[in-house]
């Protein structure tokens, strides 16, 4: 007869099976398969067999401009969106944090973009930025031409603006919650201790909300590198590849060019980049971040 | 910094529907240890917050030294506050916590170091300067909060129930330390508490508040020996003063007050003599508390009277019939207004004007 302990252990393993199975089928298998596909070079014409080339495909793809240029665009995109998104969200949260008449209305308005989707945001801005009928063209008094989205210099910043706008609601709610968690008596103590408003914000509030800033930065960087919808709807990577970010490049390589080998190599690279960035952020920022449970 | 007087002049503070302070006039003299005492919600903390500038009074004004500070920001009022929660900055070391007010005021590094060292030494924090508040015990945090206050050398200290989060033993210790600190610095202290033992042992004077209204200001001896009204009489003293209707001793329209230690069982003739039955005896070792139910055929209920007997006296047994006689002072209060009738005729003795018992 089995002991009670053995039965408990078996039951425990049994209960992890569904989650484990889902992980294996939807995460682990695709990951391994992607790495595996990266070892095979796909023939330039459909129907021909692909053949094993090992790591040589990794080294050729990763040093080629078809990978490096989109990587540069993605990095630029993240640099455009993450700091501004956090800063504007924090600014709005600070503004809405005060107890004023009708402040609830502003809180609702400020957080409303969380209810929009990438598609909705893209359509709104596509309409606004349309070079002939858009409101933006009317404001700057210059109709026709390529418009911002067709301009090599401004296309990526314009898409970044759409992303920042769409994520503002989330950022605002996150920052508002963080501000609400800062104990009022600490700020009062700082005020009596002679600290000006700026010093109170930078020396007391900011350190205390740093875990949230850190979280927002990590989530923002990952989301930034995974941007796809805005690009697909607004520019399809154009003009002339200036908004061709990494994920969009992977998509076109895989679905349009049907080059599964190259696409897989780039997908693996993107995965490793995100893992690495997250680790680096953890190790650098963790030393500067103050967590409340250290109180 | 020379200690400054802190004065509230007819300060009223009204929140949406509640009156937290009602025309409070009160002065802490330079270098004085003034305790604001009252039950929770009596407005004592509000008074402190108004002085600090954290709340704006609805009307009235605040004076620190010879300056009216109504339009002065908290940071420029030059007072230091110790919070009940200590309000230490959790992300800063003990040293940086203590330095914070000095850095805010751009005091030179050498001067800053000297003052931090002095403050740390006087509160025995030298070994803890590099720790974070989370690594400190409650008593140590309390001392850091005090160090952060004294390092400023402010015109006045405002303390909002600073000892209420400590355990009983530490509280007694810190009480002595605070008294010592006040003696050493000579700075004006406004100290808020609901604990009458703290108030009686620490205060030069005590201001007693109830429902936003000042009841009496006076030395601990004054408020104990000559309570201005029924509220003060019942609030000061532990166990509290016995208060019962004058009808029991043939005096209509008054409330009679006798402290538990001023009753004896049986014997002596006096103005107050009550027939009663022992309903509870508690022996605490150094004394006995005897609760007696007074026979009162003329009243709807029989009042309970508490008697405090020294340990040397053997306590009566339960259910025993006794005669209670007042051997000490008997207080008489107007049963309508609650005012102490003995003091009512004298100037400035009425409740609430704040000018009595200087």
């Amino acid at each position: 007869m089995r002991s009670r302990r053995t039965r408990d252990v078996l039951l425990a393993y049994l209960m992890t099976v569904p989650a484990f199975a889902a992980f294996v089928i939807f995460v682990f298998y695709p990951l391994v398969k992607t790495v595996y596909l990266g070892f095979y070079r796909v023939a330039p014409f459909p129907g021909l067999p692909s053949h094993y080339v090992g790591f040589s495909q990794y080294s050729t793809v990763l040093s080629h401009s078809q990978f490096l240029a989109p990587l540069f665009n993605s990095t630029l995109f993240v640099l455009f969106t993450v700091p501004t998104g956090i800063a504007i969200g924090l600014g709005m949260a600070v503004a809405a944090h005060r107890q004023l008449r009708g402040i609830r209305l502003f809180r609702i308005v400020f957080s409303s973009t969380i209810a929009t989707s990438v598609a909705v945001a893209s359509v709104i801005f596509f309409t606004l930025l349309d070079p002939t009928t858009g409101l933006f063209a009317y404001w700057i008094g210059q109709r026709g031409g390529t418009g911002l989205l067709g301009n090599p210099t401004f296309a990526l910043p314009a898409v970044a603006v759409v992303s920042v706008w769409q994520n503002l609601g989330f950022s605002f709610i996150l920052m508002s919650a963080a501000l609400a968690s800062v104990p009022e008596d600490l700020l009062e103590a700082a005020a009596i201790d002679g600290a000006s408003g700026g010093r109170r914000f930078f020396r007391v509030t900011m350190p205390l909300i740093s875990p949230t800033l850190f979280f927002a930065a990590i989530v923002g960087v990952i989301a930034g590198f995974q941007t796809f919808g805005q690009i697909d709807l607004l520019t399809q990577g154009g003009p002339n590849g200036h908004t061709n970010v990494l994920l969009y490049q992977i998509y076109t390589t895989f679905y349009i060019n049907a080059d599964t080998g190259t696409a897989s190599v780039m997908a693996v690279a993107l995965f490793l980049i995100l893992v690495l960035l997250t680790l680096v952020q953890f190790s650098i920022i963790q030393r500067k971040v103050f967590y409340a449970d250290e109180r | 910094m020379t200690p400054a007087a802190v004065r509230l002049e007819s300060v009223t503070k009204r929140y949406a529907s509640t009156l937290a302070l009602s025309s409070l006039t009160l002065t802490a003299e330079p270098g004085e240890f003034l305790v604001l005492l009252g039950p929770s919600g009596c407005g004592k903390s509000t008074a402190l917050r108004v002085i600090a500038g954290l709340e704006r009074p609805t009307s009235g004004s605040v004076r620190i030294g010879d300056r009216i500070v109504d339009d002065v920001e908290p940071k420029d009022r030059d007072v230091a506050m110790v919070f009940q929660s200590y309000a230490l900055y959790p992300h800063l070391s003990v040293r940086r916590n203590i330095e914070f007010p000095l850095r805010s005021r751009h005091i030179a590094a050498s001067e800053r170091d000297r003052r931090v060292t002095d403050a740390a030494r006087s509160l025995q924090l030298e070994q803890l300067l590099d720790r974070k508040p989370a690594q400190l015990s409650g008593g140590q945090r309390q001392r850091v909060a005090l160090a952060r206050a004294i390092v400023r050398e402010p015109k006045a200290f405002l303390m909002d129930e600073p000892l209420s989060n400590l355990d009983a033993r530490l509280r007694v210790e810190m009480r002595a330390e605070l008294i010592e600190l006040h003696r050493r610095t000579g700075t004006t202290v406004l100290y808020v508490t609901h604990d009458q033992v703290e108030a009686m042992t620490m205060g030069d004077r005590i201001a007693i508040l109830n429902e936003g209204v000042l009841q009496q200001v006076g030395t601990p001896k004054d408020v104990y020996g000559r309570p201005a009204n029924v509220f003060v009489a019942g609030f000061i003293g532990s166990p509290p003063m016995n208060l019962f209707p004058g009808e029991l001793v043939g005096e209509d329209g008054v409330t009679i007050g006798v402290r538990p230690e001023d009753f004896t069982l049986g014997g002596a003739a006096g103005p107050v003599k009550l027939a009663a039955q022992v309903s509870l005896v508690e022996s605490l070792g150094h004394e006995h508390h005897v609760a007696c139910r007074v026979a009162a055929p003329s009243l709807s209920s029989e009042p309970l009277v508490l008697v405090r007997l020294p340990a040397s006296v053997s306590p009566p047994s339960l259910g025993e019939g006794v005669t209670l006689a007042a051997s000490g002072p008997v207080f008489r209060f107007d049963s309508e207004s609650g005012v102490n009738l003995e003091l009512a005729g004298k100037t400035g003795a009425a409740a609430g004007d704040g000018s009595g018992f200087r």
Side-chain angles (χ1 to χ4, degrees), chain B residues 73-317:
Chain B
E73 290 278 308
K75 72 183 177 74
D76 300 321
R77 291 198 178 192
D78 203 10
V79 295
M81 185 151 167
V82 178
F83 291 74
Q84 183 175 359
S85 63
Y86 315 142
L88 300 181
Y89 310 117
H91 55 295
L92 299 179
S93 66
V94 168
R95 175 187 294 280
R96 293 298 291 261
N97 261 283
I98 301 174
E99 276 180 354
F100 193 93
L102 303 179
R103 283 179 182 265
S104 298
R105 288 180 167 71
H106 310 294
I107 289 177
S110 57
E111 169 73 359
R112 207 164 63 207
D113 286 346
R114 186 187 65 75
R115 288 217 221 162
V116 170
T117 310
D118 284 354
R121 189 185 307 125
S122 73
L123 287 155
Q124 297 125 52
L125 292 166
E126 290 139 305
Q127 311 300 318
L128 307 174
L129 284 174
D130 295 322
R131 299 221 191 143
K132 291 273 178 72
Q135 298 164 296
L136 304 178
S137 69
Q140 290 167 336
R141 287 181 204 186
Q142 174 64 75
R143 288 214 292 275
V144 176
L146 285 173
R148 188 175 67 185
I150 64 170
V151 78
R152 290 262 308 276
E153 302 173 5
K155 288 199 176 114
F157 290 125
L158 309 176
M159 303 197 182
D160 190 0
E161 310 227 9
L163 304 185
S164 61
N165 282 351
L166 300 178
D167 63 48
R169 209 177 61 97
L170 212 50
R171 196 146 55 209
V172 175
E173 243 175 74
M174 285 305 299
R175 215 154 69 198
E177 244 177 272
L178 277 176
I179 294 170
E180 167 62 27
L181 189 74
H182 174 242
R183 207 181 354 249
R184 216 167 43 218
T185 60
T187 308
T188 314
V189 177
L190 280 103
Y191 186 102
V192 160
T193 184
H194 65 270
D195 181 341
Q196 52 157 314
V197 179
E198 273 177 28
M200 298 295 276
T201 54
M202 299 173 82
D204 292 328
R205 286 189 306 151
I206 302 174
I208 297 155
L209 281 100
N210 187 37
E211 293 178 346
V213 179
L214 184 65
Q215 306 291 316
Q216 184 173 4
V217 194
T219 63
K221 198 167 158 236
D222 268 343
V223 296
Y224 185 83
R226 310 195 316 152
N229 56 36
V230 168
F231 178 82
V232 175
F235 195 75
I236 299 282
S238 173
M241 183 188 286
N242 293 298
L243 295 164
F244 48 84
E247 280 86 343
L248 280 182
V249 290
E251 298 182 40
D252 289 353
V254 299
T255 299
I256 302 284
V258 179
R259 294 204 181 272
E261 57 270 32
D262 292 333
F263 266 126
T264 50
L265 298 183
V272 173
K273 217 164 193 176
L274 303 166
Q277 201 178 25
V278 176
S279 63
L280 181 69
V281 178
E282 293 176 319
S283 292
L284 305 178
H286 64 293
E287 62 187 25
H288 309 289
H289 291 176
V290 181
C292 305
R293 209 160 275 291
V294 178
S298 57
L299 298 177
S300 56
S301 68
E302 301 186 325
L304 206 61
V305 166
L306 197 72
V307 180
R308 213 167 116 188
L309 297 175
S312 54
V313 175
S314 59
S317 49

Side-chain angles (χ1 to χ4, degrees), chain B residues 30-70:
Chain B
E32 183 182 29
F33 199 120
L34 178 68
V35 176
L36 302 180
L37 176 68
S40 60
C42 72
K44 55 194 192 299
S45 290
T46 307
L48 214 57
R49 294 171 61 83
V50 166
I51 296 169
L54 298 173
E55 308 275 356
R56 273 193 87 84
T58 312
S59 64
S61 68
V62 179
R63 194 185 278 271
I64 297 173
D66 40 23
R67 185 165 72 133
I68 291 177
V69 293
D70 295 336

Side-chain angles (χ1 to χ4, degrees), chain A residues 70 79 93 112 136 159 226 230 284:
Chain A
L79 290 177
S112 61
F136 186 76
V159 179
Q226 292 180 342
Q230 301 91 306
I284 293 176

